Amino acid sequence: VACNTASAQALRRLQQEWLPAHFPNARVLGVIRPVVEHAVAVSRRGRIGVVGTAGTVSSGAYPRELAAAVNAAGRQWRDGLRVSTAAAPLLVPLVEEGWAHRPETVRILRRYLAPLRAKRVDTLVLGCTHYPMLLREFRHVMGGQVEVFDPAAVVARSLANYLQRHPEISSRLVRQGATRFLVTDISETFARMASRWLGGPVPLERVEV
């Protein structure tokens, strides 16, 4: 499963060119499509906000995929689909430094989300895999009238459904395999945060890309 930024920037090329040439039996599933399909399904008025990294927002992937999901689902709202986006570049380092629940982070979050609140979005898409760590803070800042869902849970359900629809792939999976955590760089801060996120010691393995 590819992360949001990878999905926004390179997913189609990975799926259509790189995998067939190097790993023809492998699949890469993006996170954007299942998330936008869920957002379209739950939006009451078609006013959908997207907050993400600068790279994800500048790619235009979410507005493009939201429009495609609306067409595929046949959803209609009185004023049509209206997508508003906001880049939030400081949130990833704040999460990685363990500042997710600090007052300073909430103040920064309010600043980033102010334009989306002004647009009166009814659904907010968290367009970064770090952002579920701030789910409580996002919901608090946006208020109870805005649907803010956990994209990780949506992607997990989508993957489960995909495997049910493709038993030829599911049958090749190793059910009793070991979990490996591969990273391109190991730091004390990241190791500490990974242990906190996953509830215990995390054996990290460094790999070259």
Side-chain angles (χ1 to χ4, degrees):
V1 177
C3 73
N4 282 277
T5 303
S7 289
Q9 301 286 0
L11 180 61
R12 283 191 175 87
R13 187 171 180 181
L14 285 172
Q15 291 174 327
Q16 297 172 7
E17 300 177 22
W18 193 80
L19 279 180
H22 297 89
F23 298 96
N25 294 322
R27 299 291 183 273
V28 175
L29 303 181
V31 301
I32 292 180
R33 189 66 185 196
V35 168
V36 301
E37 288 175 350
H38 183 79
V40 167
V42 300
S43 178
R44 302 184 308 278
R45 294 178 289 115
R47 294 189 175 191
I48 300 177
V50 178
V51 60
T53 65
T56 295
V57 170
S58 65
S59 74
Y62 273 96
R64 183 171 60 248
E65 293 295 336
L66 281 164
V70 168
N71 290 334
R75 284 294 318 257
Q76 292 185 346
W77 298 278
R78 186 180 65 180
D79 297 321
L81 173 68
R82 284 179 287 180
V83 180
S84 303
T85 61
L90 290 178
L91 296 185
V92 168
L94 286 170
V95 169
E96 292 184 349
E97 287 297 322
W99 282 40
H101 309 303
R102 295 183 62 154
E104 297 92 334
T105 300
V106 175
R107 287 197 290 270
I108 292 171
L109 191 58
R110 288 186 185 278
R111 185 77 171 266
Y112 281 143
L113 296 178
L116 300 181
R117 295 184 66 195
K119 294 290 182 64
R120 300 180 64 188
V121 301
D122 65 64
T123 302
L124 181 65
V125 173
L126 306 184
C128 175
T129 47
H130 283 69
Y131 293 178
M133 305 296 178
L134 294 164
L135 183 61
R136 182 182 67 191
E137 286 73 19
F138 273 104
R139 286 173 171 167
H140 174 71
V141 172
M142 294 304 294
Q145 298 302 310
V146 179
E147 178 70 26
V148 185
F149 58 90
D150 183 353
V154 171
V155 172
R157 290 195 299 269
S158 176
L159 176 58
N161 291 336
Y162 179 87
L163 293 175
Q164 288 178 350
R165 297 195 310 272
H166 297 275
E168 75 283 2
I169 295 177
S170 181
S171 63
R172 300 202 306 266
L173 299 180
V174 178
R175 303 295 177 178
Q176 302 300 324
T179 301
R180 299 177 64 191
F181 299 91
L182 308 179
V183 295
T184 55
D185 187 34
I186 297 177
S187 68
E188 181 180 343
T189 299
F190 182 81
R192 183 174 64 253
M193 291 306 302
S195 297
R196 181 183 301 176
W197 294 338
L198 299 177
V202 178
L204 301 176
E205 300 178 51
R206 189 176 185 277
V207 296
E208 297 288 343
V209 177

